Amino acid sequence: MHEFGQFTPFETVALWVTLGSAVVGIVYGLMLRKEILGKDPGTEKMQQVAAQIQEGAAAYLNRQFRTIVLLVIVLFVALTITGWMAGGEEMSGAALGLGRGIAFLLGCVASGLTGFIGMNLAVRGNVRCAAAARTSISEALAIAFRSGAVAGMFTVAMGLVGATIIFMVYKEFATEVLLGFGFGGSLLALFMRVGGGIFTKAADVGADLVGKIEAGIPEDDPRNAAVIADNVGDNVGDCAGMAADIFESYEVTLVASMILALAHAQTDPTLARVWIIFPLLVRAIGVITSIIGTGLVKMRSEEEHPMAPITRGFVWSAIMSAVGFLFVALYYAHDLKLFWATFAGLVLAVGIYKLTEYYTSSQYEPVQEIAEASQTGAATNLLAGFGVGLEGTVWALLMICGCLFFSILVFGSEGPIGILYGVSLVGLGMLTTTGVVISMDTYGPVADNAQGICEMADVPEAMPVVEQLDAVGNTTKAATKGLAIASAVIAAIALFGSYLSKVAAAKAGTAAGEAVSAQALSQYSIPLDNPMVFIGLLIGGAMPFLFSSMTIRAVGRAAFFIINEVRRQFREIPGLMEGEAMPESAKVVDICTASALKELVAPGLLAVLTPIIVGAWFGWLGLGGFLAGIIITGQLMAVMLCDSGGAWDNAKKVIEDGAYGGKGSDAHAAAVTGDTVGDPFKDTAGPALNPLIKVMNLVGLLVVPVIVKFEGTPGLWITGILLTAVIAIAMMVSKRKGEAQVEVQERVGGEAA
């Protein structure tokens, strides 16, 4: 067993300062929360509409957490057992296993709580944003953005608190425990992304197709029974889902960097310690610069475009972070390589942000091209949007490749593990501005809800302001989804490097906390000419397609019942179309909730169990190929879905602003169809691929020691068969109809008869 070494006085202080910065982030978030809740909540009618949204969002998340609790308990036991198997002489397996299991629960709680806190304030900030929009666009922007900043602060702070405490307690064993923490965050993010995405887009599709196209009424007309569910969905999908998604990326990159740093411990324990503490200091810098960045988001005048201050806060946060990285790299690590890698991550973040903005903003040619194509019908609109998504995917991939190549140039002398450590630093640098990124994302649904509240509560004087803020929100949501995808890929590549380290350790019988020699690491690689690797690569490459199929079809199934329910209400409720009666919005919320919760189980089991099945049947080589395949096609698929969906959405808004005949024209009907197709692309299937990539890679890391130990035994083969059966049964059950859906289908069938 190597000696990890004692912390220097500076390192001890630095760790406590890092922990302190996280506490500062939480305090700042609470201060923002108090400030937002102190703002004017608007008229009584506005508050009534907002209360319906709040009630629906809270009820959905509470039911979602209850739905997945059994799976969390099962995985807690499994992780405790795998941790127990990793124990060594200096730390018993029982202590390590319990630590990993508890860390997994804490990761679940932290990820879920981050999402819940962000959503909880977003559904209160929306009505205050709407109220402020009656008199000031700058005040409305500040409220919407700062509502999102609360989620951003809790995302960075809670992740940093967990990682720092685990490292201070477990030291060289921290990577084993942090695997549990990261997996907990990833699992909850997956469920919140999938469930929230199905909920929001099923409601959105139903509201648009029946309201806009069939009934010819505005987007958020209070007569439409699906409008409340649509606004609820914006919060459970974008607010809660994105916060949990970024939280787990935030943790996974940190876990990967620590595992890779520990690989150097045998030859240079001091270097390993520096390489582990440096990422924690980078995270601490990010908390402070995110606080400053969110504070800079203020309009200089009522005439300034709302996108300008948001971009200003993001860019200045990145610049200040770069200065902090340089200082730590020079005066603590004494190694500029660490600065250049994290700086490359900041450059990648800005580059992906601007690239996604180009392909999804109404100010640029791609979206304008889609709007123009809408003049000749839905088919040409769909073709143009799909083409935009495909093209954007390539440039995003090349940007990521450029940063990876830069890491090779900078860390080439450190060998393969050093290069992959550099890749993890790129991910750390990219996510440094997480506080601002989450603020930008949550701002979108807050502004969207504000528009809905103004429409439903009949506040015409605020409509021009909230419509402009909502259009900007579409762009910020699309841009942050691009950042989330890129961060997921970087994190997964770093984890992939950690995978080989785990294989080498398992082959050598190395216990947790013990470094693997460079010679041992060099013996293991994943050659593409090996049939097992190629089989794994093909299966892994297919996973994003199967997963996307499951989530998109889930939206379609739920939307079918919602559309028929909304049609029924228009037909059967006397005076509804005349505005003399209110719709039964709660029934649509129930259908969305039942559908989303039923549909999220099968994708979750697919994500957790498939890596185990591949490893059981095709060994660690096949599993390695599988993980590589999921990274490659996952990135391509996610960017294509998000870019095309965002572009279709804003093309519709270009026409609604008066282009090509405006609202009610044939071009508008075509654009609404494109937006309806794009909704599950950009808000369900695309974003859900981010946690899928990371969950599968983390599961691979956790199970590979067992795979190596028992490879080729009948027990593993039987396990693979049983787990395959579990996934098959779950997929069949997911297609059964829930009670609310059966009620709608029976009613529709009876009317048809």
Side-chain angles (χ1 to χ4, degrees), residues 423-650:
V423 171
S424 72
L425 290 186
V426 171
L428 287 162
M430 186 178 186
L431 290 171
T432 298
T433 56
T434 289
V436 180
V437 170
I438 295 294
S439 305
M440 291 163 57
D441 184 78
T442 305
Y443 157 82
V446 171
D448 192 351
N449 274 199
Q451 181 180 3
I453 290 169
C454 289
E455 181 77 43
M456 287 183 278
D458 191 21
V459 190
E461 66 272 21
M463 288 303 295
V465 169
V466 292
E467 285 176 352
Q468 185 178 9
L469 294 179
D470 182 36
V472 171
N474 282 334
T475 301
T476 60
K477 285 191 293 184
T480 52
K481 285 183 177 72
L483 289 170
I485 294 164
S487 70
V489 173
I490 296 292
I493 292 170
L495 285 175
F496 189 69
S498 306
Y499 176 81
L500 290 178
S501 176
K502 286 288 182 184
V503 169
K507 289 283 189 180
T510 304
E514 188 172 343
V516 180
S517 68
Q519 182 180 3
L521 283 171
S522 66
Q523 296 176 20
Y524 301 102
S525 61
I526 300 177
L528 285 177
D529 60 351
N530 186 301
M532 290 294 193
V533 174
F534 215 82
I535 290 172
L537 190 67
L538 292 173
I539 297 173
M543 284 300 104
F545 292 86
L546 177 59
F547 188 81
S548 297
S549 169
M550 293 169 69
T551 52
I552 290 173
R553 292 171 73 185
V555 170
R557 285 193 292 268
F560 171 83
F561 296 103
I562 292 165
I563 288 168
N564 283 294
E565 172 62 21
V566 176
R567 285 173 176 168
R568 179 198 69 81
Q569 294 194 26
F570 276 131
R571 185 173 57 250
E572 295 182 4
I573 298 179
L576 179 58
M577 277 300 294
E578 293 76 22
E580 298 171 356
M582 293 298 293
E584 298 171 346
S585 300
K587 286 195 174 182
V588 179
V589 173
D590 284 343
I591 294 171
C592 288
T593 300
S595 298
L597 295 179
K598 179 173 62 69
E599 298 280 7
L600 67 80
V601 175
L605 290 174
L606 180 77
V608 174
L609 300 183
T610 306
I612 304 174
I613 294 169
V614 172
W617 286 353
F618 306 110
W620 69 269
L621 281 170
L623 180 55
F626 173 87
L627 299 179
I630 183 92
I631 294 170
I632 295 168
T633 59
Q635 188 276 338
L636 295 170
M637 192 82 171
V639 176
M640 187 277 292
L641 293 170
C642 289
D643 277 8
S644 56
W648 274 318
D649 192 347
N650 273 333

Side-chain angles (χ1 to χ4, degrees), residues 77-401:
V77 174
L79 285 166
T80 301
I81 293 171
T82 60
W84 171 72
M85 295 174 67
E89 294 179 3
E90 294 197 13
M91 178 165 288
S92 69
L96 194 59
L98 191 59
R100 178 184 282 183
I102 292 174
F104 165 73
L105 294 179
L106 291 176
C108 290
V109 170
S111 183
L113 189 60
T114 297
F116 185 83
I117 289 171
M119 182 214 72
N120 188 264
L121 188 63
V123 295
R124 286 163 173 76
N126 53 15
V127 69
R128 290 162 173 82
C129 172
R134 295 175 297 178
T135 56
S136 169
I137 187 172
S138 60
E139 178 68 8
L141 171 70
I143 290 173
F145 195 84
R146 292 189 171 202
S147 296
V150 175
M153 287 300 105
F154 273 86
T155 298
V156 296
M158 293 186 70
L160 191 56
V161 165
T164 305
I165 291 177
I166 287 171
F167 176 64
M168 292 172 74
V169 172
Y170 285 91
K171 295 185 180 179
E172 62 264 34
F173 299 93
T175 56
E176 298 296 327
V177 178
L178 279 169
L179 279 175
F181 190 67
F183 182 52
S186 296
L187 187 72
L188 259 288
L190 179 71
F191 283 126
M192 294 176 82
R193 266 302 193 190
V194 172
I198 293 170
F199 185 113
T200 182
K201 290 304 109 179
D204 199 358
V205 168
D208 282 356
L209 289 181
V210 181
K212 285 186 175 182
I213 294 181
E214 295 182 9
I217 59 179
E219 181 169 353
D220 292 302
D221 195 293
R223 293 171 290 181
N224 191 330
V227 166
I228 290 294
D230 183 12
N231 283 277
V232 169
D234 287 335
N235 293 287
V236 299
D238 276 323
C239 298
M242 174 60 95
D245 184 3
I246 294 292
F247 172 85
E248 49 115 5
S249 284
Y250 196 78
E251 286 312 304
V252 165
T253 51
L254 193 59
V255 171
S257 66
M258 287 185 168
I259 293 174
L260 293 164
L262 191 63
H264 276 272
Q266 190 175 69
T267 54
D268 192 343
T270 301
L271 177 66
R273 198 173 63 247
V274 170
W275 278 18
I276 289 175
I277 292 176
F278 179 79
L280 292 172
L281 294 175
V282 165
R283 287 286 186 247
I285 291 168
V287 173
I288 304 304
T289 57
S290 290
I291 291 173
I292 298 172
T294 55
L296 291 174
V297 180
K298 297 177 182 177
M299 294 179 66
R300 291 171 176 170
S301 69
E302 291 288 313
E303 288 72 37
E304 185 179 30
H305 193 279
M307 195 68 201
I310 293 174
T311 302
R312 192 160 53 238
F314 176 70
V315 172
W316 273 109
S317 178
I319 292 172
M320 288 182 289
S321 297
V323 174
F325 298 165
L326 180 61
F327 179 83
V328 175
L330 279 175
Y331 295 103
Y332 166 60
H334 308 294
D335 188 351
L336 278 177
K337 292 197 298 291
L338 305 185
F339 163 73
W340 287 118
T342 47
F343 180 73
L346 289 172
V347 172
L348 179 60
V350 175
I352 291 290
Y353 173 81
K354 297 304 292 183
L355 180 69
T356 310
E357 183 183 4
Y358 172 75
Y359 279 105
T360 58
S361 172
S362 59
Q363 301 176 54
Y364 300 105
E365 183 180 350
V367 169
Q368 294 168 5
E369 176 189 330
I370 298 170
E372 183 180 4
S374 302
Q375 296 177 92
T376 50
T380 47
N381 170 282
L382 293 171
L383 290 171
F386 197 69
V388 165
L390 292 172
E391 181 181 308
T393 293
V394 176
W395 293 109
L397 182 68
L398 290 177
M399 276 192 175
I400 293 172
C401 289

